[in-house]
Amino acid sequence: MAAAGWPLSSSVADLLPASLSLTLLLASLVVVVVLGAAAFFFEHIRKIGCTHSLERTEVSAAFFEDPNSLNKVRCPSIYDPAEKYISLIIPAYNEEHRLPEALTETLNYLKQRSAVEKSFTYEVLIVDDGSTDHTSKVAFEFVRKHKIDNVRVLLLGRNHGKGEAVRKGMLHSRGELLLMLDADGATKVTDLEKLEAQVRALAKKAESSLAPSNSPSQRLSDAEIAVFGSRAHLEKQALTTRKWYRNFLMKGFHLVVLLTAGPGIRDTQCGFKMFTRAAARKLFTNIRLKRWCFDVELVYLCKHLRIPMAEVSVNWTEIPGSKVRMTSILHMVFELLLIKVGYGLSIWKIYS
C-alpha cells in the first residue's frame, strides 16, 4: 500500500505550479521561524522570572572594602532601619575620566549642607558595574579621603547593566531618601533639593489624608513616594540641535514607552530619581530588567503598586562620553516588549 501511495503524492506535487510550491515552502519556513522566535522569547521571559525569584530570596554575602583599615564592612539591607538621611547611588561603568569631577562636586555640596544642617547625614554609594578601566581605583581614592561611613564602593565583578547596578545600590543603602544619579554629573546635585521638597509635599499630603490630626507623624522613610527628575522642559531645544534621525528615534521610543507604561511621566530616562526607603524596598525587590529600560519598569511598577509619583524639572547638561548607541535603541525596544508581555500575561508577578 505504501508503495502504491507514493506515485499519487508525487503526481499531486507535479500538478502544483512551481511558484505555488515555492510560496508554500517559504510560508512554512516563516511559520517555523516565527514559532521558534516566540518560543525563545517566552523562554527568555520565564528565565528572567526564575532569576528574579532566586535573587529575592538569596542571602547577600556582599561587603564593602575599607581601603584605610583594610577591613570588610557588612552590606546593609533595604529591610534594615535607615541610618542616614540620604543615600546617593551612582552606577559607574568605565567612568574613570568623568567620575572624579562629578564626585568632587557632589561631596562638596553634601559636606557643606551637613555642616549647616546637623540632621543631614549622607552616604555616597558608587556601584562599579564590572568596569575594565580604573573606575574602582578612582572611587576608592574618594573612600580614603572621605571615610567609608560617607563613601562606599560596591564591586559587581562583571558587567550586568545600569539597571542592576542601581538595584544593587538601592538594596544596600542606608538612607531615608535614596537618590540615583549618573556618574557623568549631567544633572546638578543641588537639584536634589527640588526632588526632596516634592517628596516632603507628597508625604505631607498622604499623611493628612490618611491619619487623624492627633496621631503621631509618619517617618519620611515609611511613606511610599517616587519623584522623577525630568528634562522634558528642554525638549524643544534638543529637537533643534539633534540630527533628524535621532529626533525620529526619540519620538518613536517615547511612543513605545507610552504604550508600555502609560501616561504620567514624560521623561522616564533621566538618570536623576529619588525614592523614599519604603518605596525603594517595594520597587527594587520587584524590578527585573538589568540594562536600559529599568526606568520604564519603575514607572510601570509604581502604577501597579499605587506608589505616588511626581515629575520635577531639573537642570541638565549633555556630557561627552554617552554609552547610548544606535544598537541600544533596538535593545530598549526589546526590553519594553519584555515588560509588556512579562507583566501583561502575569508571567512576572508583582510582590507587594
Side-chain angles (χ1 to χ4, degrees):
M1 292 296 292
W6 174 256
L8 178 63
S9 59
S10 179
S11 61
V12 170
D14 292 338
L15 292 174
L16 290 174
S19 58
L20 181 58
S21 299
L22 182 60
T23 301
L24 289 173
L25 177 61
L26 290 175
S28 300
L29 288 174
V30 168
V31 170
V32 170
V33 170
V34 169
L35 290 176
F40 170 81
F41 181 71
F42 281 101
E43 178 63 14
H44 185 63
I45 292 176
R46 189 193 67 80
K47 284 184 177 179
I48 292 174
C50 292
T51 302
H52 175 260
S53 297
L54 292 173
E55 290 172 345
R56 277 183 58 86
T57 56
E58 71 178 354
V59 178
S60 175
F63 58 85
F64 298 113
E65 294 181 2
D66 185 352
N68 293 314
S69 67
L70 302 181
N71 292 330
K72 294 180 179 180
V73 178
R74 184 190 72 86
C75 276
S77 168
I78 192 68
Y79 292 100
D80 298 336
E83 298 176 19
K84 299 280 187 178
Y85 173 68
I86 190 167
S87 297
L88 282 72
I89 292 91
I90 303 177
Y93 176 65
N94 291 346
E95 293 287 1
E96 64 174 328
H97 300 297
R98 301 195 297 180
L99 188 60
E101 184 178 350
L103 275 179
T104 299
E105 180 182 335
T106 297
L107 286 162
N108 285 342
Y109 164 79
L110 295 172
K111 287 174 68 178
Q112 290 170 10
R113 184 167 169 184
S114 65
V116 176
E117 304 173 33
K118 297 304 178 185
S119 62
F120 185 83
T121 55
Y122 66 88
E123 69 171 348
V124 176
L125 178 50
I126 304 141
V127 186
D128 184 351
D129 186 25
S131 298
T132 56
D133 64 356
H134 296 101
T135 295
S136 61
K137 182 179 179 181
V138 169
F140 276 117
E141 286 300 321
F142 282 88
V143 181
R144 288 187 181 92
K145 183 178 179 180
H146 297 274
K147 311 304 179 187
I148 198 164
D149 188 51
N150 293 322
V151 182
R152 297 180 166 191
V153 179
L154 183 61
L155 303 173
L156 297 191
R158 64 180 180 86
N159 179 250
H160 294 269
K162 182 181 177 181
E164 178 66 0
V166 171
R167 187 185 77 89
K168 288 286 190 182
M170 290 283 175
L171 295 181
H172 294 307
S173 57
R174 297 176 288 168
E176 290 186 62
L177 297 177
L178 288 76
L179 175 75
M180 57 168 277
L181 65 164
D182 289 337
D184 59 3
T187 305
K188 292 295 182 184
V189 68
T190 51
D191 278 358
L192 73 82
E193 295 176 17
K194 297 179 181 180
L195 276 63
E196 181 186 0
Q198 188 63 49
V199 167
R200 289 189 171 278
L202 288 174
K204 187 175 181 180
K205 181 180 178 182
E207 185 179 5
S208 62
S209 64
L210 295 176
S213 58
N214 59 348
S215 64
S217 59
Q218 184 186 45
R219 289 183 302 176
L220 187 61
S221 59
D222 293 334
E224 294 179 357
I225 297 165
V227 177
F228 297 76
S230 175
R231 304 158 298 179
H233 61 294
L234 302 172
E235 184 176 358
K236 288 183 179 179
Q237 179 184 346
L239 287 172
T240 58
T241 56
R242 284 199 187 109
K243 295 186 182 299
W244 68 269
Y245 61 84
R246 289 193 65 188
N247 288 331
F248 176 78
L249 289 172
M250 182 188 70
K251 289 291 186 182
F253 178 73
H254 286 172
L255 176 61
V256 179
V257 168
L258 183 66
L259 295 173
T260 303
I265 301 297
R266 294 173 62 195
D267 182 9
T268 58
Q269 302 308 110
C270 180
F272 202 75
K273 298 178 175 66
M274 182 177 285
F275 309 90
T276 58
R277 192 169 187 82
R281 186 183 303 124
K282 278 191 175 182
L283 292 170
F284 290 96
T285 53
N286 269 296
I287 199 167
R288 269 88 170 176
L289 297 183
K290 298 181 183 295
R291 291 197 176 274
W292 298 107
C293 288
F294 75 98
D295 310 79
V296 181
E297 188 181 6
L298 286 172
V299 174
Y300 187 96
L301 289 170
C302 279
K303 290 184 176 183
H304 285 263
L305 291 168
R306 298 185 178 180
I307 295 175
M309 292 183 295
E311 191 170 14
V312 175
S313 297
V314 295
N315 296 300
W316 186 81
T317 306
E318 188 160 353
I319 307 294
S322 172
K323 295 178 176 62
V324 179
R325 303 288 182 265
M326 294 294 289
T327 53
S328 304
I329 302 295
L330 296 175
H331 198 151
M332 289 178 185
V333 173
F334 178 70
E335 288 192 343
L336 291 174
L337 189 59
L338 289 176
I339 295 173
K340 195 68 176 177
V341 176
Y343 289 114
L345 298 181
S346 299
I347 300 172
W348 295 349
K349 306 297 182 184
I350 299 177
Y351 302 92
S352 58

